[in-house]
Amino acid sequence: MTALDNLIDQIPLRHDLISYLVFSGVLTGFLLALVIWVRAPISNQALKYYALLLCCLSIVTLDTLLCYTGWMKYVLAWNDSTEPLTLLLAPLLYLSIRFLIVRRPLPLWIVALHFLPAILYALSQTGYYFEPLSVKYNAYKGAYFADLPYADVPEGTRYGYQGIKDLQRWFLLLGFAFYGTLSIRLWYSRRKSFGDPAGNVHISRYRFVRLVLVAFVVILSILLLVYLNYDDDRGDHYITLFTSVFMQAGAVAFLMESRFFQHSWLIDKYETASGPDKSPDLEAVRAFVSQESFFCSETPSLKKVAEAFGTHPNAISRLINQQTGGNFNDFVNGFRIRLAIERLGSADYKNWTIEGVGQSVGFRSKSSFYQAFRKQTGMSPAAYLKSVQEPY
């Protein structure tokens, strides 16, 4: 056994609650990325980028887990090899948000620009990737096991890449700050389009993006705290704890939205539709449903819409589900709430009660009106009414 082998053998292994939590996050991230990549439609770029984000995040978290537990000594040649992937996390998170909000493709050269910093960083570290094992041992032990002795390195070893390497964590911090700002600006500029599922955007996307933006801010705060308190990688396990929670929360969110919790999850409801698909386009359905006499009635139904277009109700349901992200009730309620907002702000209805306005647009009860209104706008009708009545 060589002197270097003896030094590597001295690296201790440790397993504690942190390592178990991080491992569960890594496993969850890989599984969720695989499921999304396999099941998401090719046209859904938001989910594709989100799956790629989860994959990169899982690889980076696995690297930190190996370093923290000491298992990195068995794959020491790969130490710090995932650093370029960390610079992909912020742009991938931004791109998933961007395609969720703006359903238009980007030119490939623009997408490539987002990946350029990570590529340039990887090229700058080419020298490190081909360094002997002793150099990688010293880099690893210096960050995680300061008490262990250094290994002898070959004479003439150059560290030209080290200047850029020392700035990696600040590049990461800057990336999250930059892309977080871009995401918040995009969300703010498009926020009004989220309130109406009939406008081709489902309210849950608004909430999802809002939660992701919160995650951006939390990640930025954690990075800043860790980097200010640790000069090396010893604080990275705090970051990976949050990323593990992020991946597990994503898994829970996708599971809660899945058909597993529907009564008929074993049978696709669209499989019951008979005959060829004769569903009209969404604009035609929107024009029909937007008639006040239809959506303000107490019994607007898929059957009536389907009969109007000579197709099966499941075909209409599928069209609305796939192109708006909401169901038929969300679609109808979008028009109802929009009309209710107009009436709540109109002088002609100033003497009406909130319940009366709700009934006038088709809601049978005050509770159903409040629930739909809050889902569409993020506030109750009373809070909205108060906001429009306050003097400027």
Side-chain angles (χ1 to χ4, degrees), residues 225-263:
L225 285 173
V226 170
Y227 291 168
L228 290 177
N229 286 279
Y230 294 90
D231 293 330
D232 47 41
D233 298 336
R234 282 177 294 176
D236 285 1
H237 61 282
Y238 294 114
I239 301 172
T240 55
L241 270 178
F242 175 78
T243 57
S244 296
V245 171
F246 175 81
M247 290 185 284
Q248 290 164 345
V252 170
F254 275 89
L255 186 61
M256 292 298 291
E257 289 296 321
S258 75
R259 292 171 58 238
F260 182 84
F261 291 101
Q262 297 178 14
H263 294 299

Side-chain angles (χ1 to χ4, degrees), residues 16-198:
D16 53 24
L17 181 59
I18 290 177
S19 65
Y20 298 139
L21 289 174
V22 174
F23 175 76
S24 66
V26 171
L27 187 60
T28 301
F30 278 127
L31 288 176
L32 185 57
L34 178 63
V35 170
I36 294 174
W37 191 262
V38 171
R39 296 292 297 168
I42 296 177
S43 59
N44 194 324
Q45 293 297 303
L47 281 180
K48 293 298 184 182
Y49 279 108
Y50 188 71
L52 188 56
L53 165 68
L54 288 174
C55 188
C56 290
L57 193 57
S58 299
I59 294 172
V60 171
T61 305
L62 177 60
D63 181 283
T64 304
L65 175 65
L66 292 175
C67 291
Y68 177 78
T69 59
W71 282 81
M72 179 58 75
K73 69 180 183 178
Y74 299 112
V75 286
L76 198 54
W78 295 97
N79 182 50
D80 285 344
S81 60
T82 63
E83 283 185 342
L85 292 182
T86 65
L87 301 182
L88 288 178
L89 300 181
L92 285 174
L93 193 54
Y94 165 74
L95 287 172
S96 64
I97 291 175
R98 188 267 176 198
F99 283 107
L100 191 64
I101 296 176
V102 184
R103 298 280 178 125
R104 291 197 302 271
L106 281 175
L108 286 178
W109 68 271
I110 293 182
V111 175
L113 282 178
H114 292 291
F115 297 157
L116 187 59
I119 295 172
L120 292 177
Y121 181 83
L123 293 175
S124 75
Q125 298 302 296
T126 303
Y128 173 78
Y129 302 142
F130 293 98
E131 289 284 22
L133 203 59
S134 57
V135 173
K136 296 183 179 181
Y137 162 82
N138 288 340
Y140 174 49
K141 91 94 198 171
Y144 286 91
F145 302 99
D147 295 336
L148 294 178
Y150 281 99
D152 294 329
V153 299
E155 233 179 278
T157 300
R158 298 178 179 275
Y159 299 93
Y161 50 79
Q162 194 63 46
I164 299 296
K165 192 178 186 67
D166 290 339
L167 295 174
Q168 181 268 340
R169 52 172 44 198
W170 301 109
F171 291 151
L172 177 62
L173 189 66
L174 182 62
F176 271 97
F178 175 72
Y179 282 105
T181 302
L182 284 185
S183 299
I184 291 172
R185 286 186 60 190
L186 179 62
W187 172 80
Y188 186 79
S189 66
R190 300 275 180 159
R191 69 194 185 283
K192 293 183 180 178
S193 67
F194 283 97
D196 180 15

